[in-house]
Structure formats: C-alpha cells, structure tokens
Amino acid sequence: MIFYKTDAEVALMKEAALLVSKTLAEVAKVLKPGMTTLDIDTLCANYVKSHNAVLSFYKYHGYPHNICASVNDVVVHGFPNDVPLKNGDIVSIDLGVILNGWHGDHAYTFILGEVSEALLQLVKVTKESLYKGIEKAIINNRVGDISFAIQDHTERKYGYGVVRELVGHGLGRSLHEDPQVPNYGKRGSGSKMKENLVLAIEPMINLGTRDVFTDTDGWTVKTADGKVSVHFEHDVCVKKNEALILSDFSIIEAAEKANPHLNSSYC
Ligand code: MF3
Ligand code: CO
C-alpha cells in the first residue's frame, strides 16, 4: 500500500530529512583518520537527541546501533566499531531519525585522504547515478524509470556492480514503506508515481562484482570480492516537473570541502 503525503506532511518530512543532513554535516566537520565509527555513532546520537528526535535505526528489527557505518568493502548496515579510521578509507554513514512522527533516512559516503583515481570515479559516478534516478521521480513516471536510470549510469556505462539484494523504499510514518525502489530494472516497469510520493533512493554500487554476502553478525553486508562499495541516499518527493529533494547534500559538501582530512576532489 502506497501512502501519498499532503503538502503539510511533506514539509514535516523535509524537517526530518534536513536533521539527518545537518547531522551528517557535523560528521563531515570532524571526520579524520584516528577517529572510530563508534565516535561517529556517539556524535550523531547526541546531535539527533539534542534536536528532540529519535534514532530510528536503533532496535529496528533488532539493529544494535544508532547509525550504519560501512567502510570499504562493507556495502551497508556496517556496525560502528572501535577500529580507528585511516587514510584511504571510504566511509558511508547512514542515519535515520524520527522527528514529529516522520522519518528522515539518508546516507553519504566520505573519502579519507588519498585514494586511487578508480575509487574517486566510483564515488563520483555513484553520486551522479543518485541524481539521474532523482530526475525520473516525477509524476506519471514509473518506479522502474528511476531504477533503470541508476543501473544505466553505473552498470552499463562504467561496468560497476549494482547490488540486487537491497533496494530504496517509500518513506513516511514508517522507515520502509511501499514501493521498493531497486537500483536496477526496466524503463516503464513498476508502479506509476503520483504527486507527493516520498522515496528514499539509495544506490549501492560496487567497484567489482555485484555479489554480496551477509556477515555472521547477521547485518553487515559485504562485497563478495572484497572490493569497495559506495552508498549515497537522498529523501525525495515526487512532483510534476522536477522532484523535490528533501535532504540536502550541499551542507555536507561544504563541510567536506572545508575539512582537510576529507577528499572532495571528485566533486
Ligand atoms: N538506509 C537503510 C535502509 O533504508 C538503513 C536501515 S538500517 C537499519 O534500509 F538498521 F535500520 F535496519
Ligand atoms: Co533507506
């Protein structure tokens, strides 16, 4: 069942999405080698709680942490841990909040220091593919148009692996609502979209094989070949001519550019 939102509800969802963006911008300000993903978890939790919001991932289907921190070959759902981050790490931070009863859920991938051109390109193209998908989130298009645009840009054009096992989703009073938004698919397939459908679009793109496996902890999803995976996620609202992006990368990018420990040379 798809829940379309009223304009007032979309405005509230924008507040929730923006709180996630602001929190990720706080991460971008301080992230550096030597920090641990548990430090990032604590920072995010304090920031979210001090803004009167709830951390939605904590205890979701038993998830044991506040954020997902997915480093290098971890695709998504990585547990924050006490391993110091190092130069060359690729770190995806995924955060979900509930603010005034509405969910915000988005993710951003950071590059610590120097990495190969191949990895810079993977990060750049994954972010680009998210925007290619968002361009298709307009009324009378179908969900498959979003899926196709992401797959076309990453898999067909660059030969990257598009993860099949995890997908984007509707967002609202619940973290995961209908419809599912795969990052692969056929143009013109899936549900037709109407105004004020809110979606979390989240390409998970691998440098190598698309195949993944879940670690023995029951959550951590890793690439089968051990190569790097990148994840970006935006919350978007379907509109007539152009999707309304509820989350905001610009504040994260500004902090990223101002932080000498982060590599934003691909932006
Ligand atoms: N952004 C992810 C998703 O939409 C995060 C969920 S992690 C969980 O599925 F901990 F909440 F499960
Ligand atoms: Co999501």
Side-chain angles (χ1 to χ4, degrees), residues 73-127:
D73 65 325
V74 177
V75 178
V76 286
H77 304 166
F79 289 174
N81 62 32
D82 59 5
V83 179
L85 291 166
K86 57 186 192 312
N87 202 32
D89 281 344
I90 309 272
V91 186
S92 153
I93 304 297
D94 191 351
L95 171 67
V97 305
I98 307 169
L99 182 62
N100 299 314
W102 295 95
H103 282 261
D105 165 30
H106 85 94
Y108 195 90
T109 294
F110 299 100
I111 306 171
L112 271 85
E114 295 316 307
V115 296
S116 65
E117 280 299 320
L119 287 179
L120 281 177
Q121 182 180 268
L122 176 68
V123 176
K124 177 171 186 271
V125 169
T126 302
K127 195 194 271 188

Side-chain angles (χ1 to χ4, degrees), residues 31-234:
L31 192 57
K32 63 175 183 183
M35 224 177 151
T36 72
T37 47
L38 271 173
D39 296 332
I40 302 172
D41 186 281
T42 303
L43 182 160
C44 291
N46 289 339
Y47 193 86
V48 168
K49 287 177 190 165
S50 74
H51 288 78
N52 303 312
V54 172
L55 293 140
S56 63
F57 294 176
Y58 185 61
K59 296 272 162 79
Y60 182 82
H61 292 284
Y63 186 75
H65 294 279
N66 298 306
I67 65 168
C68 301
S70 304
V71 181
N72 299 331
D73 65 325
V74 177
V75 178
V76 286
H77 304 166
F79 289 174
N81 62 32
D82 59 5
V83 179
L85 291 166
K86 57 186 192 312
N87 202 32
D89 281 344
I90 309 272
V91 186
S92 153
I93 304 297
D94 191 351
L95 171 67
V97 305
I98 307 169
L99 182 62
N100 299 314
W102 295 95
H103 282 261
D105 165 30
H106 85 94
Y108 195 90
T109 294
F110 299 100
I111 306 171
L112 271 85
E114 295 316 307
V115 296
S116 65
E117 280 299 320
L119 287 179
L120 281 177
Q121 182 180 268
L122 176 68
V123 176
K124 177 171 186 271
V125 169
T126 302
K127 195 194 271 188
E128 282 170 1
S129 78
L130 171 56
Y131 287 100
K132 302 254 180 213
I134 290 170
E135 272 177 32
K136 303 295 177 191
I138 53 176
I139 62 168
N140 296 327
N141 270 359
R142 290 178 183 269
V143 172
D145 296 320
I146 299 171
S147 307
F148 176 84
I150 294 169
Q151 183 181 19
D152 188 59
H153 191 61
T154 53
E155 194 174 270
R156 187 190 62 78
K157 224 164 142 201
Y158 290 90
Y160 294 147
V162 175
V163 175
R164 302 299 202 266
E165 288 82 352
L166 298 134
V167 296
H169 49 95
L171 186 71
R173 291 242 182 235
S174 305
L175 176 58
H176 295 130
E177 294 186 356
D178 287 339
Q180 293 199 344
V181 185
N183 298 304
Y184 60 93
K186 287 192 174 55
R187 256 187 291 219
S189 68
S191 332
K192 195 180 256 193
M193 295 178 285
K194 295 195 288 198
E195 187 157 5
N196 287 4
L197 171 63
V198 176
L199 299 172
I201 305 180
E202 47 180 320
M204 290 152 260
I205 308 297
N206 301 346
L207 185 62
T209 177
R210 72 188 196 201
D211 295 336
V212 299
F213 69 97
T214 304
D215 204 83
T216 48
D217 64 20
W219 280 97
T220 309
V221 178
K222 294 181 171 174
T223 59
D225 61 7
K227 292 186 182 174
V228 169
S229 184
V230 172
H231 177 219
F232 284 97
E233 178 175 19
H234 256 317

